[in-house]
Amino acid sequence: MLPKILIGAPTYEGKDYCLAEFASALKSLVYPNMDICYVDNSSTDWFSQKMNVMGINTIWQPSAMRLASKKLERGSNYLRQKAIDGKYFAHLQLETDMVVEPNTLLEMLNEMINEDALVVGSMYAIYGGAMRKKLAYKIKYDADLDSVLSMPEISDWTKLDRPLMNVQSCGLGCTLIRTSVYDKHKVSYRSTVQTTPDGLFFRDLTSRGIKAYMRTTDFLTHMNRGDWDASEKMIGA
């Protein structure tokens, strides 16, 4: 039997604009042993109710916290504990503005096992407009681990014949994380560090000597608000 996988991420009502496309892609995943749990940190529960009606298991976790990063931290740690308590093999952090292909999870899992990797991320663009052909993925930090460098043109990377590339950092939009990583890793946001929660996660991995990998064989649709159009198959293509 394939190992049990938990799928979920923090979300909020601001992702309603792309929920239909996300839900359709999520339900298309071909994997027999997975559970879904999303954490809605909106101020009211209408969005979590809508997700549940659509068949996406979602809990509402209201918070008086004003910083979005602290809400993300709380939701991420809820899923971290759920992955540990439920004895899941891995957690697929799949954010609600991503579009996966039916075999994405199975392919990520196979690549993770073949490489004996602990963390495997997916490629997707974070810029729109004139920058759509620039993969703005955070691949490497400079010496002080604060300044983010972007990857070269997509075409330079899609020619690679190996499925995984060792990286210092990538986005958490679609990232498979072995639950063993969570045993000693509690997600935290330190406001004194000038980077994103995604960057902090990978920064902590680096400090612990844990290698992270990024898939080079796929490029997912990222439905950036303001950058994405439902008529387009892929931002960055």
Side-chain angles (χ1 to χ4, degrees):
M1 174 182 276
L2 290 168
K4 186 167 67 168
I5 305 295
L6 174 66
I7 300 176
T11 189
Y12 79 116
E13 60 194 9
K15 299 298 182 180
D16 184 52
Y17 71 95
C18 59
L19 183 60
E21 290 79 12
F22 165 76
S24 177
L26 177 65
K27 292 175 183 178
S28 76
L29 279 174
V30 179
Y31 195 82
N33 195 16
M34 64 183 185
D35 292 327
I36 295 171
C37 181
Y38 280 82
V39 181
D40 174 23
N41 55 43
S42 304
S43 57
T44 60
D45 67 349
W46 72 266
F47 189 60
S48 59
Q49 287 189 32
K50 181 175 181 177
M51 290 185 69
N52 280 305
V53 167
M54 296 175 74
I56 304 172
N57 180 43
T58 306
I59 68 159
W60 179 46
Q61 194 180 64
S63 172
M65 300 173 182
R66 298 185 64 184
L67 285 175
S69 56
K70 300 303 288 185
K71 294 179 181 180
L72 286 171
E73 176 185 300
R74 185 183 180 199
S76 295
N77 280 312
Y78 176 91
L79 293 168
R80 166 190 175 270
Q81 196 60 51
K82 185 175 180 66
I84 292 172
D85 293 345
K87 301 185 185 305
Y88 290 89
F89 175 78
H91 165 218
L92 179 64
Q93 167 94 3
L94 180 61
E95 296 178 355
T96 51
D97 57 5
M98 300 296 302
V99 175
V100 291
E101 299 296 329
N103 290 323
T104 294
L105 175 53
L106 185 57
E107 290 172 357
M108 292 182 78
L109 178 64
N110 287 337
E111 290 162 3
M112 170 178 274
I113 292 172
N114 290 340
E115 191 71 33
D116 195 24
L118 296 177
V119 179
V120 174
S122 297
M123 288 199 295
Y124 57 92
I126 60 173
Y127 287 153
M131 294 298 292
R132 284 181 181 172
K133 290 192 176 180
K134 176 71 75 173
L135 185 57
Y137 234 78
K138 299 179 289 294
I139 185 175
K140 186 185 296 182
Y141 288 105
D142 65 9
D144 64 7
L145 294 180
D146 284 336
S147 299
V148 173
L149 304 176
S150 59
M151 287 181 68
E153 297 293 329
I154 294 168
S155 59
D156 294 339
W157 297 102
T158 53
K159 295 175 183 176
L160 294 174
D161 57 3
R162 62 185 186 277
L164 295 180
M165 175 191 297
N166 182 210
V167 297
Q168 283 189 289
S169 179
C170 64
L172 285 174
C174 181
T175 301
L176 190 61
I177 305 161
R178 285 209 201 197
T179 302
S180 58
V181 170
Y182 286 148
D183 289 340
K184 296 181 180 179
H185 180 87
K186 189 171 184 178
V187 181
S188 67
Y189 179 83
R190 299 179 298 282
S191 59
T192 56
V193 178
Q194 299 301 309
T195 187
T196 63
D198 298 38
L200 286 170
F201 177 83
F202 286 95
R203 179 188 174 111
D204 288 344
L205 292 185
T206 299
S207 70
R208 293 168 55 198
I210 295 176
K211 290 183 178 181
Y213 293 85
M214 185 178 67
R215 304 181 69 220
T216 64
T217 54
D218 202 3
F219 188 75
L220 300 180
T221 301
H222 184 203
M223 299 179 287
N224 281 11
R225 189 165 199 170
D227 295 338
W228 171 77
D229 185 311
S231 66
E232 298 183 45
K233 181 180 179 182
M234 182 182 298
I235 290 292

